[in-house]
Amino acid sequence: MATTWDGACSRRAALGGAAGLGAAAALTACSGAGGGTTGGGGGGGDSKTINVIMVNNPQMVDLQKLTADNFTKDTGITVKYTVLPENDVRDKISQEFSSQAGQYDVASISNYEVPFYSKNDWLAPMDDFIAADSAFGQDDILKPLATALTGDDGKVYGEPFYGESSFLMYRKDVFEANGITMPDKPTWDEVAGFAAQLDGKTPGMKGIALRGQPGWGQVFAPLTTVVNTFGGTWFDEDWTAQVNAPEFVAATKFYVDLVTAHGESGAPQAGFTECLNGMTQSQVAMWYDATSAAGSLDASGSPVAGKMGYVAAPVNQTDSSGWLYTWAWGIQKASKNQENAWKFVSWASSKEYEELVGKQVGWASVPAGKRTSTYENADYQKSAAPFYKATQDAINAANPEDPGVQKRPAAGIQFVAIPEFADMATQVSQLVSSAIAGQMSVEDALDQGQDIATKLVSDKYKK
């Protein structure tokens, strides 16, 4: 979650460093681009003005730049943007939507928020707008994303701006030089074996990169998918915490042992950006992370462009294990400009907007991962040839309703879609990072994690 979720911004910074561009300049672009209102408040608007609050990822920066000359020119609707870093924007949107203040008409939300935002009646359903907007093409939205943005009442509460899953990225040239063949659907045991074989075979290159940095969207993005495929879960169907259950412990020990023995240096502090840098700078032979990273690895100017291979997320007991994430648009229920808000959502999530980005910014910058038509576009296929099919397959294989081997009390693959998850998983992630650093055992970390999960979630949700 590029952090996955904020990884797109991180990717730009990381690739800038790898390609010799100044990371500081890249970060500046992420935090302050776009003109209009950036980092400030929204404020009420007239009927021809809508207020949009969104995360400061590069795709959103492109959106800002293209709005006035295209959307506003065609509709007469002015868009006032408020753009903030991920953690800040999540807090501000939560405060705004929970109070239904109506200051912002549209917000960038994800499939993590949609289940409980819609249940709390904070979002306006989009079904009537979709039905009246035949050009939008709801059927073109990839099914896993459409399902993830639908509420328990069957109504649509979000439209994706871009989406991602996770897969295994590896150096084809290094594997070939060492006589190793990567399966299309590797198991985690096979991946661990490859990491051991390749660790140190090339001077300065470790076997694999895995996130170890604390954060529910950092170490627990990939680690929760490993827990799922090893047969574990955060909670059973009755909301009893399972953090120190044998399957959760086995998966975490596997992950910690693998990254400790054959992973990148500085693993306890390594997040998406650090792992991307390691892969880009030939410091690791493999990396399990967001599909959205592939665009940076195979971008023009990348030192590893043309050397990368992409296969399905490794598995243990399940048939697939990739995560699912999307930055999407939600319309606030209290908005007084819902019709114009929909016109903005319809434009920003449209096939035509992708084509606009492709022509004016470049096909590598298209906010992909949401529409079937994107993967049928010859221009996009040419630009993303090494990874577009693997990305599409990974997203289509993701199943947030059934990601493991047992029934779950709430949807989600790399998260549990309840508001308490972010705080709970962040606290547990700090313990797991300590285990990666060798400061405590996995068992001790997860025993403490069990207490945290029980106190913050089980005690509240168990009947």
Short mmCIF file of all heavy atoms in Angstrom, two decimals, residues 92-152:
data_model
loop_
_atom_site.label_atom_id
_atom_site.label_comp_id
_atom_site.label_asym_id
_atom_site.label_seq_id
_atom_site.Cartn_x
_atom_site.Cartn_y
_atom_site.Cartn_z
N LYS A 92 -7.69 14.37 8.23
CA LYS A 92 -8.58 15.48 7.90
C LYS A 92 -9.88 14.99 7.27
O LYS A 92 -10.96 15.51 7.59
CB LYS A 92 -7.86 16.47 6.97
CG LYS A 92 -8.57 17.81 6.84
CD LYS A 92 -7.72 18.83 6.13
CE LYS A 92 -8.41 20.19 6.09
NZ LYS A 92 -8.58 20.79 7.43
N ILE A 93 -9.77 14.01 6.39
CA ILE A 93 -10.98 13.48 5.76
C ILE A 93 -11.86 12.79 6.80
O ILE A 93 -13.09 12.93 6.80
CB ILE A 93 -10.62 12.51 4.62
CG1 ILE A 93 -9.97 13.29 3.46
CG2 ILE A 93 -11.84 11.75 4.12
CD1 ILE A 93 -9.36 12.39 2.39
N SER A 94 -11.23 12.05 7.71
CA SER A 94 -12.01 11.38 8.76
C SER A 94 -12.77 12.39 9.61
O SER A 94 -13.96 12.22 9.91
CB SER A 94 -11.07 10.54 9.64
OG SER A 94 -11.79 9.93 10.69
N GLN A 95 -12.08 13.47 9.99
CA GLN A 95 -12.74 14.51 10.79
C GLN A 95 -13.87 15.17 10.01
O GLN A 95 -14.97 15.40 10.52
CB GLN A 95 -11.71 15.57 11.21
CG GLN A 95 -10.65 15.05 12.17
CD GLN A 95 -9.49 16.02 12.34
OE1 GLN A 95 -9.56 17.16 11.90
NE2 GLN A 95 -8.42 15.56 12.96
N GLU A 96 -13.60 15.48 8.74
CA GLU A 96 -14.57 16.17 7.90
C GLU A 96 -15.81 15.31 7.63
O GLU A 96 -16.94 15.76 7.80
CB GLU A 96 -13.90 16.56 6.56
CG GLU A 96 -14.84 16.92 5.42
CD GLU A 96 -15.45 18.30 5.58
OE1 GLU A 96 -14.98 19.05 6.47
OE2 GLU A 96 -16.38 18.63 4.83
N PHE A 97 -15.58 14.06 7.25
CA PHE A 97 -16.71 13.22 6.88
C PHE A 97 -17.49 12.74 8.10
O PHE A 97 -18.71 12.58 8.04
CB PHE A 97 -16.24 12.04 6.02
CG PHE A 97 -16.08 12.39 4.56
CD1 PHE A 97 -15.37 13.52 4.18
CD2 PHE A 97 -16.64 11.60 3.57
CE1 PHE A 97 -15.23 13.86 2.83
CE2 PHE A 97 -16.51 11.93 2.23
CZ PHE A 97 -15.81 13.07 1.86
N SER A 98 -16.80 12.49 9.22
CA SER A 98 -17.52 12.03 10.41
C SER A 98 -18.42 13.13 10.97
O SER A 98 -19.48 12.85 11.53
CB SER A 98 -16.53 11.55 11.48
OG SER A 98 -15.71 12.61 11.91
N SER A 99 -18.01 14.38 10.78
CA SER A 99 -18.84 15.49 11.25
C SER A 99 -19.85 15.94 10.22
O SER A 99 -20.76 16.71 10.53
CB SER A 99 -17.95 16.68 11.62
OG SER A 99 -17.31 17.23 10.48
N GLN A 100 -19.67 15.44 8.96
CA GLN A 100 -20.54 15.85 7.85
C GLN A 100 -20.63 17.37 7.77
O GLN A 100 -21.72 17.96 7.68
CB GLN A 100 -21.93 15.23 8.00
CG GLN A 100 -21.94 13.73 7.71
CD GLN A 100 -21.67 13.39 6.24
OE1 GLN A 100 -22.49 13.61 5.36
NE2 GLN A 100 -20.47 12.85 5.99
N ALA A 101 -19.45 17.99 7.82
CA ALA A 101 -19.39 19.45 7.78
C ALA A 101 -19.73 20.00 6.40
O ALA A 101 -20.12 21.16 6.27
CB ALA A 101 -17.99 19.92 8.20
N GLY A 102 -19.55 19.21 5.38
CA GLY A 102 -19.90 19.65 4.03
C GLY A 102 -18.90 20.60 3.41
O GLY A 102 -19.17 21.21 2.37
N GLN A 103 -17.72 20.74 4.02
CA GLN A 103 -16.71 21.65 3.47
C GLN A 103 -16.13 21.13 2.17
O GLN A 103 -15.84 21.89 1.26
CB GLN A 103 -15.59 21.87 4.50
CG GLN A 103 -14.56 22.89 4.08
CD GLN A 103 -13.51 23.15 5.16
OE1 GLN A 103 -13.44 22.43 6.14
NE2 GLN A 103 -12.72 24.17 4.96
N TYR A 104 -15.95 19.81 2.11
CA TYR A 104 -15.40 19.18 0.91
C TYR A 104 -16.47 18.33 0.23
O TYR A 104 -17.14 17.53 0.88
CB TYR A 104 -14.19 18.33 1.25
CG TYR A 104 -13.05 19.13 1.82
CD1 TYR A 104 -12.82 19.17 3.19
CD2 TYR A 104 -12.22 19.88 0.98
CE1 TYR A 104 -11.78 19.93 3.72
CE2 TYR A 104 -11.19 20.64 1.51
CZ TYR A 104 -10.97 20.66 2.88
OH TYR A 104 -9.96 21.42 3.40
N ASP A 105 -16.59 18.48 -1.08
CA ASP A 105 -17.57 17.71 -1.83
C ASP A 105 -17.04 16.32 -2.17
O ASP A 105 -17.80 15.35 -2.18
CB ASP A 105 -17.92 18.46 -3.13
CG ASP A 105 -18.44 19.86 -2.85
OD1 ASP A 105 -19.55 19.97 -2.31
OD2 ASP A 105 -17.70 20.83 -3.14
N VAL A 106 -15.74 16.25 -2.48
CA VAL A 106 -15.13 14.99 -2.93
C VAL A 106 -13.84 14.78 -2.14
O VAL A 106 -13.11 15.74 -1.87
CB VAL A 106 -14.81 15.02 -4.44
CG1 VAL A 106 -14.13 13.72 -4.88
CG2 VAL A 106 -16.08 15.26 -5.24
N ALA A 107 -13.55 13.50 -1.81
CA ALA A 107 -12.30 13.18 -1.13
C ALA A 107 -11.68 11.92 -1.72
O ALA A 107 -12.40 11.04 -2.23
CB ALA A 107 -12.55 12.97 0.36
N SER A 108 -10.36 11.85 -1.66
CA SER A 108 -9.68 10.61 -2.04
C SER A 108 -9.72 9.67 -0.85
O SER A 108 -9.14 9.93 0.20
CB SER A 108 -8.23 10.88 -2.47
OG SER A 108 -7.49 11.50 -1.43
N ILE A 109 -10.47 8.58 -1.00
CA ILE A 109 -10.56 7.56 0.02
C ILE A 109 -10.15 6.23 -0.60
O ILE A 109 -9.90 6.16 -1.80
CB ILE A 109 -12.00 7.47 0.59
CG1 ILE A 109 -13.00 7.19 -0.52
CG2 ILE A 109 -12.35 8.75 1.33
CD1 ILE A 109 -14.42 6.98 -0.02
N SER A 110 -10.07 5.21 0.21
CA SER A 110 -9.62 3.92 -0.31
C SER A 110 -10.63 2.84 0.01
O SER A 110 -11.65 3.08 0.69
CB SER A 110 -8.27 3.55 0.33
OG SER A 110 -8.46 3.15 1.68
N ASN A 111 -10.33 1.65 -0.46
CA ASN A 111 -11.19 0.51 -0.13
C ASN A 111 -11.08 0.12 1.34
O ASN A 111 -11.87 -0.69 1.81
CB ASN A 111 -10.89 -0.70 -1.02
CG ASN A 111 -9.43 -1.05 -1.09
OD1 ASN A 111 -8.57 -0.17 -1.16
ND2 ASN A 111 -9.11 -2.33 -1.08
N TYR A 112 -10.13 0.70 2.07
CA TYR A 112 -10.11 0.50 3.53
C TYR A 112 -11.23 1.29 4.20
O TYR A 112 -11.91 0.78 5.08
CB TYR A 112 -8.74 0.92 4.09
CG TYR A 112 -8.70 1.03 5.60
CD1 TYR A 112 -8.93 -0.09 6.41
CD2 TYR A 112 -8.46 2.25 6.24
CE1 TYR A 112 -8.91 0.01 7.79
CE2 TYR A 112 -8.43 2.36 7.62
CZ TYR A 112 -8.66 1.23 8.39
OH TYR A 112 -8.64 1.33 9.76
N GLU A 113 -11.43 2.53 3.76
CA GLU A 113 -12.44 3.38 4.40
C GLU A 113 -13.87 3.11 3.94
O GLU A 113 -14.82 3.28 4.73
CB GLU A 113 -12.13 4.87 4.16
CG GLU A 113 -10.98 5.44 4.95
CD GLU A 113 -9.66 5.37 4.21
OE1 GLU A 113 -9.68 4.87 3.05
OE2 GLU A 113 -8.63 5.78 4.76
N VAL A 114 -14.06 2.74 2.68
CA VAL A 114 -15.41 2.67 2.13
C VAL A 114 -16.37 1.81 2.96
O VAL A 114 -17.52 2.22 3.21
CB VAL A 114 -15.38 2.19 0.66
CG1 VAL A 114 -16.75 1.70 0.20
CG2 VAL A 114 -14.92 3.34 -0.24
N PRO A 115 -15.96 0.63 3.45
CA PRO A 115 -16.94 -0.18 4.21
C PRO A 115 -17.53 0.53 5.42
O PRO A 115 -18.76 0.51 5.63
CB PRO A 115 -16.12 -1.41 4.62
CG PRO A 115 -15.08 -1.54 3.57
CD PRO A 115 -14.70 -0.12 3.23
N PHE A 116 -16.69 1.18 6.23
CA PHE A 116 -17.27 1.80 7.43
C PHE A 116 -17.71 3.24 7.19
O PHE A 116 -18.61 3.73 7.87
CB PHE A 116 -16.33 1.69 8.65
CG PHE A 116 -14.93 2.15 8.48
CD1 PHE A 116 -14.59 3.47 8.79
CD2 PHE A 116 -13.94 1.29 8.06
CE1 PHE A 116 -13.28 3.91 8.67
CE2 PHE A 116 -12.62 1.72 7.94
CZ PHE A 116 -12.29 3.02 8.24
N TYR A 117 -17.18 3.93 6.21
CA TYR A 117 -17.71 5.25 5.84
C TYR A 117 -19.14 5.10 5.32
O TYR A 117 -20.03 5.89 5.66
CB TYR A 117 -16.84 5.89 4.77
CG TYR A 117 -15.67 6.71 5.28
CD1 TYR A 117 -14.94 6.31 6.40
CD2 TYR A 117 -15.28 7.88 4.64
CE1 TYR A 117 -13.87 7.05 6.86
CE2 TYR A 117 -14.20 8.64 5.10
CZ TYR A 117 -13.50 8.22 6.21
OH TYR A 117 -12.43 8.95 6.66
N SER A 118 -19.36 4.10 4.47
CA SER A 118 -20.70 3.91 3.91
C SER A 118 -21.67 3.44 4.98
O SER A 118 -22.82 3.88 5.04
CB SER A 118 -20.66 2.92 2.75
OG SER A 118 -20.15 1.66 3.15
N LYS A 119 -21.19 2.55 5.86
CA LYS A 119 -22.06 2.06 6.94
C LYS A 119 -22.47 3.18 7.87
O LYS A 119 -23.58 3.19 8.42
CB LYS A 119 -21.32 0.97 7.72
CG LYS A 119 -22.18 0.22 8.71
CD LYS A 119 -21.40 -0.92 9.34
CE LYS A 119 -22.28 -1.72 10.30
NZ LYS A 119 -21.51 -2.86 10.89
N ASN A 120 -21.56 4.17 8.05
CA ASN A 120 -21.86 5.31 8.92
C ASN A 120 -22.64 6.41 8.22
O ASN A 120 -22.87 7.48 8.80
CB ASN A 120 -20.56 5.89 9.49
CG ASN A 120 -19.91 4.97 10.49
OD1 ASN A 120 -20.56 4.14 11.11
ND2 ASN A 120 -18.59 5.09 10.65
N ASP A 121 -23.00 6.17 6.94
CA ASP A 121 -23.80 7.13 6.18
C ASP A 121 -23.04 8.44 5.95
O ASP A 121 -23.64 9.52 5.95
CB ASP A 121 -25.12 7.42 6.90
CG ASP A 121 -26.22 7.85 5.93
OD1 ASP A 121 -26.13 7.50 4.74
OD2 ASP A 121 -27.15 8.55 6.35
N TRP A 122 -21.73 8.34 5.73
CA TRP A 122 -20.91 9.53 5.47
C TRP A 122 -20.73 9.79 3.98
O TRP A 122 -20.23 10.83 3.58
CB TRP A 122 -19.51 9.37 6.10
CG TRP A 122 -19.51 9.23 7.59
CD1 TRP A 122 -20.54 9.48 8.45
CD2 TRP A 122 -18.42 8.80 8.41
NE1 TRP A 122 -20.16 9.23 9.75
CE2 TRP A 122 -18.86 8.82 9.76
CE3 TRP A 122 -17.09 8.42 8.14
CZ2 TRP A 122 -18.03 8.45 10.83
CZ3 TRP A 122 -16.27 8.06 9.20
CH2 TRP A 122 -16.73 8.08 10.53
N LEU A 123 -21.08 8.80 3.16
CA LEU A 123 -20.85 8.91 1.71
C LEU A 123 -22.17 8.92 0.96
O LEU A 123 -23.13 8.25 1.37
CB LEU A 123 -20.00 7.73 1.21
CG LEU A 123 -18.58 7.63 1.73
CD1 LEU A 123 -17.98 6.27 1.35
CD2 LEU A 123 -17.72 8.77 1.18
N ALA A 124 -22.20 9.65 -0.15
CA ALA A 124 -23.38 9.65 -1.02
C ALA A 124 -23.29 8.48 -1.99
O ALA A 124 -22.25 8.29 -2.63
CB ALA A 124 -23.47 10.96 -1.80
N PRO A 125 -24.35 7.68 -2.11
CA PRO A 125 -24.32 6.60 -3.11
C PRO A 125 -24.25 7.18 -4.51
O PRO A 125 -24.81 8.24 -4.79
CB PRO A 125 -25.63 5.84 -2.87
CG PRO A 125 -26.52 6.81 -2.17
CD PRO A 125 -25.62 7.71 -1.37
N MET A 126 -23.55 6.48 -5.42
CA MET A 126 -23.34 7.00 -6.76
C MET A 126 -24.21 6.32 -7.81
O MET A 126 -24.12 6.65 -9.00
CB MET A 126 -21.86 6.83 -7.14
CG MET A 126 -20.90 7.59 -6.24
SD MET A 126 -19.18 7.28 -6.69
CE MET A 126 -18.32 8.43 -5.60
N ASP A 127 -25.04 5.39 -7.40
CA ASP A 127 -25.77 4.55 -8.37
C ASP A 127 -26.62 5.35 -9.35
O ASP A 127 -26.64 5.06 -10.55
CB ASP A 127 -26.64 3.54 -7.61
CG ASP A 127 -25.80 2.66 -6.70
OD1 ASP A 127 -25.34 3.17 -5.66
OD2 ASP A 127 -25.61 1.48 -7.05
N ASP A 128 -27.35 6.35 -8.85
CA ASP A 128 -28.21 7.13 -9.75
C ASP A 128 -27.37 7.93 -10.75
O ASP A 128 -27.75 8.07 -11.92
CB ASP A 128 -29.09 8.09 -8.93
CG ASP A 128 -30.17 7.34 -8.15
OD1 ASP A 128 -30.42 6.15 -8.46
OD2 ASP A 128 -30.73 7.93 -7.22
N PHE A 129 -26.25 8.46 -10.28
CA PHE A 129 -25.37 9.20 -11.20
C PHE A 129 -24.81 8.26 -12.27
O PHE A 129 -24.74 8.61 -13.45
CB PHE A 129 -24.22 9.84 -10.42
CG PHE A 129 -24.65 10.89 -9.44
CD1 PHE A 129 -24.32 10.79 -8.10
CD2 PHE A 129 -25.38 12.00 -9.85
CE1 PHE A 129 -24.70 11.76 -7.19
CE2 PHE A 129 -25.77 12.98 -8.95
CZ PHE A 129 -25.43 12.85 -7.61
N ILE A 130 -24.39 7.07 -11.84
CA ILE A 130 -23.82 6.10 -12.78
C ILE A 130 -24.86 5.70 -13.83
O ILE A 130 -24.57 5.63 -15.03
CB ILE A 130 -23.33 4.86 -12.01
CG1 ILE A 130 -22.15 5.22 -11.11
CG2 ILE A 130 -22.93 3.74 -12.98
CD1 ILE A 130 -21.77 4.13 -10.12
N ALA A 131 -26.09 5.47 -13.37
CA ALA A 131 -27.15 5.04 -14.29
C ALA A 131 -27.45 6.11 -15.33
O ALA A 131 -27.83 5.80 -16.48
CB ALA A 131 -28.41 4.72 -13.50
N ALA A 132 -27.30 7.38 -14.95
CA ALA A 132 -27.61 8.49 -15.87
C ALA A 132 -26.42 8.89 -16.72
O ALA A 132 -26.54 9.77 -17.57
CB ALA A 132 -28.11 9.69 -15.07
N ASP A 133 -25.27 8.27 -16.48
CA ASP A 133 -24.02 8.66 -17.16
C ASP A 133 -23.51 7.46 -17.96
O ASP A 133 -22.57 6.78 -17.56
CB ASP A 133 -22.99 9.09 -16.10
CG ASP A 133 -21.72 9.68 -16.71
OD1 ASP A 133 -21.56 9.61 -17.94
OD2 ASP A 133 -20.88 10.19 -15.94
N SER A 134 -24.14 7.21 -19.10
CA SER A 134 -23.82 6.01 -19.88
C SER A 134 -22.38 6.01 -20.39
O SER A 134 -21.80 4.95 -20.64
CB SER A 134 -24.78 5.89 -21.07
OG SER A 134 -24.70 7.04 -21.90
N ALA A 135 -21.79 7.19 -20.53
CA ALA A 135 -20.42 7.27 -21.05
C ALA A 135 -19.39 6.81 -20.02
O ALA A 135 -18.24 6.51 -20.38
CB ALA A 135 -20.10 8.70 -21.48
N PHE A 136 -19.77 6.74 -18.74
CA PHE A 136 -18.78 6.42 -17.72
C PHE A 136 -18.27 4.98 -17.84
O PHE A 136 -17.08 4.71 -17.68
CB PHE A 136 -19.37 6.64 -16.32
CG PHE A 136 -18.40 6.33 -15.22
CD1 PHE A 136 -17.32 7.18 -14.98
CD2 PHE A 136 -18.53 5.19 -14.44
CE1 PHE A 136 -16.40 6.89 -13.98
CE2 PHE A 136 -17.62 4.90 -13.44
CZ PHE A 136 -16.55 5.75 -13.21
N GLY A 137 -19.17 4.05 -18.11
CA GLY A 137 -18.74 2.66 -18.30
C GLY A 137 -18.39 1.94 -17.01
O GLY A 137 -17.28 1.46 -16.83
N GLN A 138 -19.38 1.83 -16.12
CA GLN A 138 -19.14 1.13 -14.85
C GLN A 138 -18.71 -0.31 -15.09
O GLN A 138 -17.91 -0.87 -14.32
CB GLN A 138 -20.40 1.18 -13.99
CG GLN A 138 -20.30 0.49 -12.63
CD GLN A 138 -19.37 1.22 -11.65
OE1 GLN A 138 -19.00 2.38 -11.88
NE2 GLN A 138 -18.99 0.55 -10.58
N ASP A 139 -19.20 -0.93 -16.14
CA ASP A 139 -18.85 -2.32 -16.42
C ASP A 139 -17.37 -2.48 -16.78
O ASP A 139 -16.85 -3.60 -16.78
CB ASP A 139 -19.70 -2.86 -17.58
CG ASP A 139 -21.16 -3.02 -17.18
OD1 ASP A 139 -21.44 -3.01 -15.97
OD2 ASP A 139 -22.00 -3.16 -18.09
N ASP A 140 -16.72 -1.38 -17.10
CA ASP A 140 -15.30 -1.42 -17.48
C ASP A 140 -14.39 -1.45 -16.24
O ASP A 140 -13.21 -1.77 -16.34
CB ASP A 140 -14.98 -0.18 -18.34
CG ASP A 140 -13.61 -0.25 -19.00
OD1 ASP A 140 -13.19 -1.37 -19.37
OD2 ASP A 140 -12.97 0.81 -19.14
N ILE A 141 -14.95 -1.10 -15.07
CA ILE A 141 -14.16 -1.10 -13.83
C ILE A 141 -13.82 -2.55 -13.46
O ILE A 141 -14.70 -3.42 -13.48
CB ILE A 141 -14.94 -0.43 -12.68
CG1 ILE A 141 -15.32 1.01 -13.06
CG2 ILE A 141 -14.11 -0.46 -11.39
CD1 ILE A 141 -14.15 1.94 -13.27
N LEU A 142 -12.54 -2.81 -13.13
CA LEU A 142 -12.15 -4.17 -12.75
C LEU A 142 -13.01 -4.64 -11.58
O LEU A 142 -13.18 -3.92 -10.59
CB LEU A 142 -10.67 -4.20 -12.38
CG LEU A 142 -9.70 -3.89 -13.53
CD1 LEU A 142 -8.26 -3.84 -13.02
CD2 LEU A 142 -9.82 -4.92 -14.65
N LYS A 143 -13.53 -5.84 -11.68
CA LYS A 143 -14.53 -6.33 -10.74
C LYS A 143 -14.07 -6.30 -9.28
O LYS A 143 -14.85 -5.89 -8.40
CB LYS A 143 -14.97 -7.75 -11.12
CG LYS A 143 -16.11 -8.28 -10.27
CD LYS A 143 -16.58 -9.64 -10.74
CE LYS A 143 -17.72 -10.15 -9.86
NZ LYS A 143 -18.18 -11.48 -10.30
N PRO A 144 -12.83 -6.72 -8.95
CA PRO A 144 -12.44 -6.67 -7.53
C PRO A 144 -12.50 -5.25 -6.95
O PRO A 144 -12.86 -5.07 -5.79
CB PRO A 144 -11.00 -7.20 -7.55
CG PRO A 144 -10.95 -8.09 -8.75
CD PRO A 144 -11.79 -7.38 -9.77
N LEU A 145 -12.16 -4.25 -7.76
CA LEU A 145 -12.23 -2.87 -7.28
C LEU A 145 -13.68 -2.41 -7.15
O LEU A 145 -14.04 -1.75 -6.16
CB LEU A 145 -11.47 -1.94 -8.22
CG LEU A 145 -9.96 -2.15 -8.34
CD1 LEU A 145 -9.34 -1.11 -9.24
CD2 LEU A 145 -9.30 -2.12 -6.97
N ALA A 146 -14.49 -2.74 -8.14
CA ALA A 146 -15.91 -2.36 -8.06
C ALA A 146 -16.56 -2.97 -6.83
O ALA A 146 -17.33 -2.31 -6.11
CB ALA A 146 -16.64 -2.81 -9.33
N THR A 147 -16.24 -4.22 -6.55
CA THR A 147 -16.80 -4.88 -5.37
C THR A 147 -16.30 -4.24 -4.09
O THR A 147 -17.07 -4.03 -3.13
CB THR A 147 -16.42 -6.37 -5.38
OG1 THR A 147 -16.93 -6.98 -6.57
CG2 THR A 147 -16.99 -7.09 -4.17
N ALA A 148 -15.02 -3.91 -4.04
CA ALA A 148 -14.43 -3.34 -2.83
C ALA A 148 -14.96 -1.95 -2.52
O ALA A 148 -14.87 -1.49 -1.38
CB ALA A 148 -12.91 -3.29 -2.98
N LEU A 149 -15.51 -1.27 -3.53
CA LEU A 149 -16.02 0.08 -3.35
C LEU A 149 -17.55 0.10 -3.25
O LEU A 149 -18.17 1.15 -3.37
CB LEU A 149 -15.54 0.99 -4.48
CG LEU A 149 -14.01 1.15 -4.55
CD1 LEU A 149 -13.61 1.93 -5.80
CD2 LEU A 149 -13.48 1.86 -3.30
N THR A 150 -18.13 -1.07 -3.05
CA THR A 150 -19.58 -1.20 -2.88
C THR A 150 -19.90 -1.47 -1.41
O THR A 150 -19.22 -2.27 -0.76
CB THR A 150 -20.11 -2.37 -3.75
OG1 THR A 150 -19.84 -2.08 -5.13
CG2 THR A 150 -21.60 -2.55 -3.57
N GLY A 151 -20.90 -0.79 -0.88
CA GLY A 151 -21.26 -0.96 0.51
C GLY A 151 -22.03 -2.25 0.77
O GLY A 151 -22.42 -2.96 -0.16
N ASP A 152 -22.25 -2.52 2.05
CA ASP A 152 -23.02 -3.71 2.42
C ASP A 152 -24.43 -3.67 1.87
O ASP A 152 -25.08 -4.72 1.74
CB ASP A 152 -23.07 -3.85 3.95
CG ASP A 152 -21.73 -4.23 4.54
OD1 ASP A 152 -20.86 -4.71 3.78
OD2 ASP A 152 -21.54 -4.04 5.76
#
